[in-house]
Amino acid sequence: GEVYELLNALEERLGSANSGVVLAACKAFLHLTLHLPATHQQVLERIKEPLKSVVGRDDPGATYAVLAHVLLLAQRAPIIFENDYPTFY
């Protein structure tokens, strides 16, 4: 129950204008759901759009950090970004 309350509290942070806040929220989402496989899969789907929006910003440092995270996530769950590769190029 507490995990879902935390996820709900962090939900609006995924749309933040600050790239660091978005990445921290994504990390918290992933960390909090590691022991909940079904929820973890839903979280992977949920964080795709915020990550793609950070990549589209005009901040090379944030773009690099997000792409490094996307690489790790794609290695963990290869099909999660299979339709989104053009976004990252």
Side-chain angles (χ1 to χ4, degrees), residues 22-76:
V22 174
L23 288 175
C26 289
K27 182 178 178 179
F29 267 66
L30 293 169
H31 181 72
L32 290 170
T33 59
L34 275 177
H35 64 283
L36 304 167
T39 305
H40 192 71
Q41 186 64 30
Q42 292 172 348
V43 163
L44 287 171
E45 289 291 334
R46 174 64 186 98
I47 66 172
K48 278 177 27 174
E49 290 305 316
L51 290 176
K52 288 179 1 184
S53 74
V54 173
V55 167
R57 296 180 187 170
D58 208 15
D59 182 0
T63 300
Y64 178 79
V66 169
L67 291 175
H69 282 81
V70 166
L71 176 62
L72 293 172
L73 291 172
Q75 289 171 346
R76 184 184 297 174

Side-chain angles (χ1 to χ4, degrees), residues 2-33:
E2 287 181 26
V3 169
Y4 294 108
E5 288 179 28
L6 287 169
L7 293 177
N8 288 334
L10 290 171
E11 181 74 25
E12 69 183 50
R13 302 299 184 261
L14 292 174
S16 174
N18 185 322
S19 302
V21 172
V22 174
L23 288 175
C26 289
K27 182 178 178 179
F29 267 66
L30 293 169
H31 181 72
L32 290 170
T33 59

